[in-house]
Amino acid sequence: MIDVNTVIAIFVFITGACIGSFLNVVALRGLSGESIVFPPSKCPKCSNKLNWYTNIPVISYCFLKGRCEFCKEHISLQYPIVEALNAILYLACFLTFGYTLKTLFLLPLISLFIVIAITDLKESVVLNIHTYIIMALGLIYSLTPDAGINFIQSLIGLAAGYIIFEALARIGYIFAKTRAFGEGDTLIAMGIGAFFGIKPLLVIIFMSVIIQAFMTIPILLNKSIKNKNYKEAFAYSALLLCVALAYLFKKFNLYDNFALIISLLIIVCAILLWALCVILKDIKNKKETNDFLYLPFGPALVVSALIMIFAQSHIINSAKIWLGI
C-alpha cells in the first residue's frame, strides 16, 4: 500500500511539471510583451489553439514526437526540458526540506530562477518584475523561523548584491568603455542576497564566476583558434592553467609550503594580469566591430543559487576550509 508521503511526492512532481509548462508561457510571453493569460496556449508557428490533450507536460511532446499537431513543425526541446526540470527540482525540494515553510518559499524561487535563465539565455534579457518578486519573497522569508537569517541580514544581503555587482559592472568602463555585467545581473544578485544573506551570496558569486568560466572560456578559445587569433587563444588557455594550478596545489596539500604558495601567487597574478589585458583589449576592439561573443551571466548565478539551496551547509563548510577559517 502506498503511504501518504509517496502520494504527496507524486503530487508535488506532477504539480512541478504543470507549473513548468506555465513557466514557458511566462518566459516567452514576457519577452514578447503578450499577456500570460490570453490568448490560450497556441502553436508559436501556426498560431492554432492547442487542444488540452496536446498540452500535457512532457507526455504530449513524446506522444506528438516533438511536432505540432496541426502544422507538423518541430516543437522546441525547451518545453519538455523546462517542464521536467521544474518537476525534478520541486520533488528534490520536497524530499530535502519536507513539510516546512522553507519548502513553501523555495518552490516559487526555483520557478522564478528557471524563468530568468530562459529569458537571459534566449534574449539576454532579465525582466525586472521577476527579480523584484524574488527580492520581496526573500525579505518576507527572512521573517520566518526557517530562514536562518533575520530581516536585517536579508536587507544587508540585498544591499551587498547591489554594491558588489554594480562595482564589478563599472570596472568594465575602465577597460572596455561598457558595463562588465548587465543591470539584470545586479537585480538577480540582490534577490539572492535577500534570500540567503551576505555570506552565502559571496560564495554563490564565486561559484557563478567558476561556472561562467567553464561555460565561456572553451567557446571563446575555440572561436579564437578558428579566427587564428593565437595570442588571444593562449590568454584563454592561461586562465584555465591558473585553475589547474590552484587545483593541483589543493590536491597535493602544497598550501602549507610558504615558498611554493608565494611563487604560485606571483605566477598566477602575472598570468591573470597578462591574460586579462589581452582579452579586455580584444573585447574593446571587437566591441567596435560588433563581433564579440557574449554569454549572459544570469544563468551561472541561477545555477549557483540552486546548488546553494540543496547543499548550503556543505558548500559553506568547504569554503571555510579553502579559506582557512
Side-chain angles (χ1 to χ4, degrees), residues 51-70:
N51 295 309
W52 69 268
Y53 54 82
T54 63
N55 225 3
I56 303 172
V58 183
I59 295 175
S60 291
Y61 184 89
C62 298
F63 178 76
L64 294 170
K65 297 179 180 178
R67 293 180 180 273
C68 172
E69 178 188 17
F70 303 102

Side-chain angles (χ1 to χ4, degrees), residues 7-254:
V7 172
I8 294 176
I10 293 171
F11 174 76
V12 169
F13 183 85
I14 294 173
T15 302
C18 294
I19 292 176
S21 181
F22 180 64
L23 296 183
N24 280 308
V25 175
V26 172
L28 298 177
R29 294 195 181 186
L31 290 173
S32 65
E34 295 179 86
S35 167
I36 62 174
V37 179
F38 300 105
S41 296
K42 60 181 180 178
C43 172
K45 302 287 174 52
C46 64
S47 297
N48 276 302
K49 179 182 175 182
L50 301 182
N51 295 309
W52 69 268
Y53 54 82
T54 63
N55 225 3
I56 303 172
V58 183
I59 295 175
S60 291
Y61 184 89
C62 298
F63 178 76
L64 294 170
K65 297 179 180 178
R67 293 180 180 273
C68 172
E69 178 188 17
F70 303 102
C71 65
K72 306 304 179 184
E73 286 289 329
H74 282 287
I75 302 171
S76 172
L77 265 174
Q78 172 190 317
Y79 293 92
I81 288 175
V82 169
E83 291 161 358
L85 178 62
N86 199 66
I88 292 169
L89 289 174
Y90 268 39
L91 179 60
C93 189
F94 172 72
L95 294 177
T96 303
F97 304 110
Y99 306 94
T100 62
L101 282 172
K102 189 168 189 173
T103 299
L104 189 64
F105 277 90
L106 288 179
L107 294 182
L109 176 65
I110 287 169
S111 291
L112 285 165
F113 277 156
I114 291 175
V115 171
I116 287 171
I118 294 171
T119 60
D120 207 5
L121 284 171
K122 288 187 75 70
E123 301 288 344
S124 298
V125 170
V126 175
L127 299 178
N128 292 351
I129 183 62
H130 300 149
T131 56
Y132 293 156
I133 293 174
I134 291 178
M135 293 179 210
L137 278 173
L139 292 172
I140 296 171
Y141 177 54
S142 69
L143 299 174
T144 69
D146 290 348
I149 59 173
N150 57 42
F151 186 74
I152 299 300
Q153 290 171 321
S154 180
L155 281 175
I156 292 172
L158 186 150
Y162 175 82
I163 293 170
I164 293 170
F165 261 76
E166 283 303 298
L168 292 173
R170 281 163 170 71
I171 291 175
Y173 288 113
I174 299 173
F175 298 99
K177 308 302 181 186
T178 186
R179 289 176 62 96
F181 302 101
E183 294 177 359
D185 296 327
T186 298
L187 296 176
I188 296 172
M190 291 171 68
I192 291 173
F195 244 100
F196 295 96
I198 186 168
K199 290 182 180 179
L201 170 65
L202 294 174
V203 178
I204 288 171
I205 292 173
F206 178 74
M207 288 195 299
S208 65
V209 170
I210 295 174
I211 291 171
Q212 184 74 355
F214 276 105
M215 290 192 303
T216 306
I217 291 177
I219 296 174
L220 296 176
L221 176 59
N222 181 60
K223 187 178 179 71
S224 300
I225 293 172
K226 284 184 176 180
N227 292 337
K228 296 183 178 180
N229 189 340
Y230 298 115
K231 186 176 181 180
E232 181 188 288
F234 185 75
Y236 289 122
S237 301
L239 295 180
L240 295 176
L241 175 63
C242 290
V243 175
L245 286 173
Y247 173 76
L248 289 173
F249 265 65
K250 179 65 179 177
K251 182 177 178 61
F252 296 105
N253 296 318
L254 299 177

Side-chain angles (χ1 to χ4, degrees), residues 300-319:
L301 273 173
V302 166
V303 171
S304 300
L306 288 173
I307 294 173
M308 181 63 75
I309 286 174
F310 296 105
Q312 181 166 345
S313 59
H314 177 72
I315 292 171
I316 295 296
N317 289 336
S318 296

